[in-house]
Amino acid sequence: MMSHYRSTISLVYILFCLFITSSASSFIRQFTDDFNTNLQQNGEGPNPSLGEVHQVHQHQEISSRDHEVSVSSTVNGLRDRPPSTYSLKMESFNKLLNSPYTERYQSRPFTVGGYNWSLMVYPNGNKKDSGSGYLSLYVAIDNSTLVAGHQDVYADLRFYVFNNNERKYFTIQDTNVWRFNVFKTMWGFSQVLPVATFRDPRNGYLYDGDHCEFGVDVTIPTTYQISELFSIADNFYNPKFTWTLRGFSTLLKDTYYSDVFSIGGRN
């Protein structure tokens, strides 16, 4: 009996020690994450011994290749009109570019179609999407604004980069719509412009020292409300209609309408 009682006490003691160890590890991990997040929000670099900085809002890192972007469906060029949805102007782009702690810049949220969106700028390219050496631009949806977990939101995206030399905007877009949901919250282009091209002031994308401007149009297309069908039939029963206007030279109104007539089952 005494041996069984001692065994029971030993088992309880071991379980208690395991619980204390697990709780302490969870507390340390939580403290580290919170501390690193505060560093990021205050604009300071992380302590390498504390691990990687965690983003406040995590977006599913979806590759644009998942959208099957092809050269034939990508359209780019210059246009005069600025973005109509959101504009992001930067005055210290090179500091962002050279920062060892900042992989991307996330804009303030903006609302389109009842959903919250953010513009994502990767100054050195999204390396997870074959964007190394390029400027990468994406749009992310706040999945908390989705009504249901299985909801899909289809959007047309057009990205803008201002060119001060041309006084126009370089734009890039896909002819297909992009499908957003809780599993795919971020879409865009990994290779908008080469970083070397963008950084060279002679090309006009960086101007007035360190200024630049990005933008995006987010459009949620809807199905048509009004439609029209045109068809031609070769044979109609009694296909002629005759309308006689008497005293034509004496008519004073600008417009006259005949009586309604029917041909081919239509009035």
Side-chain angles (χ1 to χ4, degrees):
M1 179 65 70
M2 182 62 67
S3 175
H4 177 72
Y5 178 75
R6 289 176 178 173
S7 299
T8 302
I9 292 177
S10 299
L11 178 61
V12 171
Y13 177 77
I14 292 173
L15 292 175
F16 178 77
C17 291
L18 290 174
F19 174 77
I20 292 298
T21 303
S22 177
S23 300
S25 298
S26 299
F27 174 79
I28 292 172
R29 284 196 302 269
Q30 183 62 43
F31 172 80
T32 300
D33 292 346
D34 293 342
F35 182 73
N36 281 333
T37 299
N38 290 334
L39 284 178
Q40 184 192 36
Q41 293 174 344
N42 293 331
E44 301 174 10
N47 187 332
S49 65
L50 296 179
E52 183 181 0
V53 172
H54 292 263
Q55 294 284 348
V56 177
H57 299 287
Q58 290 289 347
H59 292 286
Q60 187 72 17
E61 293 290 349
I62 297 299
S63 166
S64 60
R65 289 167 294 172
D66 296 339
H67 182 68
E68 297 182 354
V69 173
S70 64
V71 175
S72 60
S73 65
T74 301
V75 180
N76 58 57
L78 293 174
R79 61 175 279 167
D80 296 320
R81 297 285 298 174
S84 59
T85 298
Y86 194 80
S87 174
L88 170 63
K89 296 180 180 180
M90 293 185 172
E91 296 181 349
S92 303
F93 181 81
N94 276 319
K95 290 183 179 179
L96 176 68
L97 185 70
N98 297 325
S99 172
Y101 308 118
T102 304
E103 181 185 9
R104 68 185 182 189
Y105 180 87
Q106 178 176 342
S107 75
R108 294 180 179 180
F110 53 91
T111 302
V112 175
Y115 307 98
N116 290 338
W117 311 79
S118 295
L119 176 61
M120 301 287 191
V121 179
Y122 287 76
N124 284 300
N126 183 3
K127 298 176 179 60
K128 298 178 181 178
D129 193 16
S130 301
S132 181
Y134 287 85
L135 173 73
S136 303
L137 297 176
Y138 298 84
V139 162
I141 190 172
D142 181 357
N143 56 21
S144 67
T145 59
L146 298 175
V147 177
H150 62 275
Q151 181 182 9
D152 289 328
V153 177
Y154 293 88
D156 286 314
L157 305 177
R158 180 191 289 125
F159 295 91
Y160 293 73
V161 183
F162 182 65
N163 188 303
N164 192 53
N165 290 348
E166 302 288 341
R167 303 302 298 173
K168 294 182 179 181
Y169 292 86
F170 172 81
T171 65
I172 183 170
Q173 65 186 103
D174 196 279
T175 56
N176 297 314
V177 295
W178 309 75
R179 185 177 70 175
F180 292 82
N181 52 44
V182 294
F183 301 106
K184 300 179 180 179
T185 61
M186 193 173 77
W187 291 114
F189 292 93
S190 62
Q191 299 182 2
V192 177
L193 287 169
V195 172
T197 300
F198 184 85
R199 294 189 66 180
D200 190 340
R202 294 173 297 180
N203 294 325
Y205 296 107
L206 276 181
Y207 55 93
D208 294 342
D210 207 11
H211 292 206
C212 59
E213 180 183 352
F214 306 102
V216 67
D217 283 343
V218 179
T219 305
I220 300 179
T222 59
T223 56
Y224 56 83
Q225 303 298 319
I226 302 174
S227 64
E228 178 178 338
L229 174 64
F230 173 78
S231 63
I232 297 177
D234 294 332
N235 298 313
F236 287 116
Y237 173 75
N238 191 21
K240 294 182 179 181
F241 171 75
T242 302
W243 180 28
T244 302
L245 288 173
R246 300 184 183 278
F248 184 83
S249 62
T250 61
L251 299 178
L252 301 178
K253 295 181 180 180
D254 293 333
T255 306
Y256 290 84
Y257 296 94
S258 73
D259 295 333
V260 177
F261 59 93
S262 178
I263 293 178
R266 300 186 182 185
N267 294 330

